[in-house]
Amino acid sequence: MNEILLITLATLATAGRVLGLILISIFTGWFLAYAAIKGKIFENIYISLIEVFESVPVISFFPIVLIIFVTRIGGPLGVEMAADFLVFTAVVWNIWIGEYQAFKTVPREMLEVAENYQMSFLTKMRRIFIPFSYPRIAANLFPSVSDGFFYITVSEVFSVGIHTYQTFGIGTVLDSLVASGQTRLIYIDLAILAVVIILIIIGLREFSRYAVSKYTVDTDAPIIRRGRLNVKQTTRLLSVVARNPLSRLAGYYRSRAISRPPEVFEKHEIRKEKISRYTSIAIGVIILGLILYSSVDLIISVPHSEWGRLFSITPRIVLYLLYDYLRVGVILAISFVIAIFLGYYLAMHSRAEGIGVPIIQALSAYPPPIYLPFIFAASFTAIHSVLGAFTDEFYVLSLGFVSTFYYIFYSFWMGVKALPAEYFEVMKNLNMGYFSRMRSIILPGTFPYLISGISSTINSAWGGLMIGEYWPDIVAGRSLEVHFGLMKFIDVQTNTGNIALAGWGSFIFGIVVAIYSILFTRRMMDLARKRYVAEEGVFAA
């Protein structure tokens, strides 16, 4: 087969794999998010699991992949399912958390209308929850695509010990080209990949514009100053209110008469709430039971001597984790500063946005593990002359940054664009400066988006650290390696085939992330719903 045609087909196969799994993530996330907001027990379990699995790098899922897909299913189908599972774990978590965050922050007025008109589950999903989640989905599509392409080099071709598994895709083709040293074809491969990524980005941008323009709760009503009667503006106000989603919603059901007495309606609602609550509890208990069963089965199967070795190494794992959290903190701080300045500037200037956002989207979607070796080879001498012993840390932090900064950037940028127009009118009328706008309007108004972006940034930085902290032979004669780090520890144990130590490190890591999700993410989501849903200010006014 022609080499260029093979590269093109491999790129399209990878793109189809990423986009198809994103669609599955969106569809399943709607129902899981609804179940989460209807039951506290399921919500706690669901959010904790998302936080844990989003933080655990794709590479850490190799033991599951080996046991379930490669060993038990086997053959090309097993390897293909393994690759799909790894890509799915790279793209799904931030979409699920974004949909949950959207469902959690639906304005109370909308929910009251739905309850007053006794909407069924499917009607509420179709007319309220799913449309309200579109802007959040649009904000998370860009990082999901970026993550999907970021991990193609470890999803479509992966090694555990002496065994290598691969399926057809651009990751496999690139791996073979790098191994054979065919530089010309590598550049052609990168160029074709860039074209496909740009086309995907154009499609995502159109969807994000459509989602923001149609599904944000924004009356676009003009601010009429007191003391003056403006017939033109009053007419426009009435026409805008008539098109408001809440007005349309109420009008659609206004003709429906409630045939049952109030006490029957209340009993019916109480019965539905009980059914919903018990269903959520049942789902949560089933998930918890499966986790406990798997845990007990694993504990029994491990010899006592092995447990002693695992417990003895735990303090060192915790120390390594502290080093990595320091790295994540640095990455988050830099990402946050860039997001609130650059994201706001681009959201407010359409011309700059038309140039800057596509560049950021293309760079974030382009897989860093593919081009980093070239940058490393070209810049190592100059960087080393300046940073000395901290050179490897610089490259690791850089890889962690480019693998996750776009989460908070996209979330904040989309949050600014989704703010109701009335807020911008108020800021303009009050002549508010940049920092006053940020402190009083922008940051509080985009708080739900920021929490989602911050959570995903923290949880996804580990993937970049996993790849960067231990990269033997990144270029001929040089390796990229830090002295201390949990991601390096897990990576080394996985490469040497010591799955027990790698799994124990991931388990300790998962416990810490679960605690973080309950103490931080869940509470911040509740705070966002209670105090920082900007759309409720429109209705209140």
Side-chain angles (χ1 to χ4, degrees), residues 149-385:
F149 281 101
F150 180 89
Y151 285 109
I152 59 172
T153 55
V154 295
S155 298
E156 294 179 345
V157 52
F158 54 91
S159 300
V160 178
I162 60 174
H163 299 286
T164 299
Y165 306 94
Q166 61 184 20
T167 188
F168 183 67
I170 193 64
T172 304
V173 173
L174 271 172
D175 185 71
S176 63
L177 293 178
V178 171
S180 59
Q182 301 184 56
T183 307
R184 183 183 68 85
L185 290 178
I186 292 175
Y187 289 138
I188 294 175
D189 198 330
L190 296 177
I192 294 175
L193 180 60
V195 172
V196 172
I197 288 175
I198 290 173
L199 292 176
I200 293 174
I201 288 172
I202 292 174
L204 294 181
R205 286 192 65 201
E206 292 304 314
F207 173 75
S208 67
R209 288 175 179 174
Y210 171 78
V212 170
S213 63
K214 186 171 183 178
Y215 293 106
T216 51
V217 182
D218 184 358
T219 64
D220 196 30
I223 305 300
I224 302 177
R225 301 181 185 275
R226 291 186 177 183
R228 295 192 304 174
L229 177 63
N230 189 317
V231 176
K232 180 179 179 181
Q233 286 194 345
T234 303
T235 305
R236 181 185 168 211
L237 175 62
L238 293 175
S239 65
V240 167
V241 172
R243 296 196 305 269
N244 182 274
L246 192 58
S247 301
R248 290 204 306 265
L249 189 62
Y252 182 83
Y253 287 91
R254 190 176 293 118
S255 59
R256 293 184 55 180
I258 301 177
S259 58
R260 290 172 294 176
E263 62 272 12
V264 177
F265 173 73
E266 291 177 1
K267 290 180 180 179
H268 179 69
E269 289 302 307
I270 293 173
R271 192 181 304 113
K272 287 200 304 183
E273 289 181 3
K274 287 184 178 180
I275 293 174
S276 176
R277 181 168 64 252
Y278 292 150
T279 302
S280 300
I281 292 174
I283 295 174
V285 170
I286 291 173
I287 294 176
L288 183 61
L290 291 174
I291 294 174
L292 291 176
Y293 173 79
S294 301
S295 301
V296 172
D297 183 62
L298 176 63
I299 292 172
I300 295 175
S301 63
V302 176
H304 294 290
S305 59
E306 183 68 17
W307 280 117
R309 185 166 72 104
L310 294 177
F311 282 121
S312 66
I313 203 174
T314 300
R316 185 149 55 104
I317 290 176
V318 174
L319 178 62
Y320 291 163
L321 183 57
L322 291 176
Y323 276 101
D324 278 347
Y325 263 112
L326 288 175
R327 295 185 178 102
V328 172
V330 173
I331 293 170
L332 175 62
I334 297 174
S335 302
F336 181 80
V337 171
I338 292 176
I340 63 173
F341 284 99
L342 181 60
Y344 177 77
Y345 178 82
L346 294 180
M348 293 293 99
H349 299 82
S350 58
R351 290 186 179 180
E353 181 187 56
I355 299 174
V357 171
I359 293 176
I360 294 175
Q361 291 166 348
L363 291 177
S364 62
Y366 216 71
I370 293 178
Y371 61 78
L372 185 65
F374 298 98
I375 296 177
F376 183 88
S379 62
F380 178 82
T381 302
I383 298 296
H384 187 268
S385 65

Side-chain angles (χ1 to χ4, degrees), residues 417-429:
K417 293 181 69 66
L419 276 176
E422 290 83 355
Y423 286 91
F424 292 98
E425 292 284 349
V426 170
M427 289 187 289
K428 181 179 179 181
N429 290 339

Side-chain angles (χ1 to χ4, degrees), residues 31-108:
F31 297 95
L32 291 170
Y34 187 83
I37 65 173
K38 289 298 180 179
K40 293 294 183 182
I41 296 178
F42 179 76
E43 182 180 27
N44 285 329
I45 297 174
Y46 177 62
I47 297 305
S48 298
L49 288 177
I50 287 180
E51 296 284 348
V52 170
F53 288 135
E54 186 176 28
S55 296
V56 175
V58 169
I59 300 173
S60 298
F61 288 100
F62 282 168
I64 301 176
V65 166
L66 289 174
I67 295 172
I68 298 178
F69 300 108
V70 176
T71 303
R72 296 189 177 179
I73 297 178
L77 176 61
V79 176
E80 174 62 35
M81 293 180 67
D84 291 342
F85 177 79
L86 292 172
V87 175
F88 182 76
T89 59
V91 304
V92 67
W93 311 117
N94 62 292
I95 290 178
W96 280 3
I97 199 71
E99 289 174 328
Y100 159 76
Q101 184 260 345
F103 282 29
K104 188 81 172 175
T105 56
V106 170
R108 287 187 295 269

Side-chain angles (χ1 to χ4, degrees), residues 411-449:
S411 295
F412 181 73
W413 168 66
M414 188 63 68
V416 174
K417 293 181 69 66
L419 276 176
E422 290 83 355
Y423 286 91
F424 292 98
E425 292 284 349
V426 170
M427 289 187 289
K428 181 179 179 181
N429 290 339
L430 296 178
N431 295 319
M432 298 177 67
Y434 173 79
F435 290 102
S436 296
R437 292 186 174 201
M438 278 289 170
R439 183 178 65 253
S440 302
I441 305 292
I442 302 299
L443 291 180
T446 58
F447 188 77
Y449 289 86

Side-chain angles (χ1 to χ4, degrees), residues 4-45:
I4 296 179
L5 177 60
L6 177 64
I7 293 173
T8 302
L9 292 176
T11 305
L12 294 177
T14 296
R17 183 176 288 119
V18 172
L19 296 178
L21 292 170
I22 286 177
L23 290 176
I24 295 175
S25 303
I26 293 172
F27 183 78
T28 55
W30 282 330
F31 297 95
L32 291 170
Y34 187 83
I37 65 173
K38 289 298 180 179
K40 293 294 183 182
I41 296 178
F42 179 76
E43 182 180 27
N44 285 329
I45 297 174

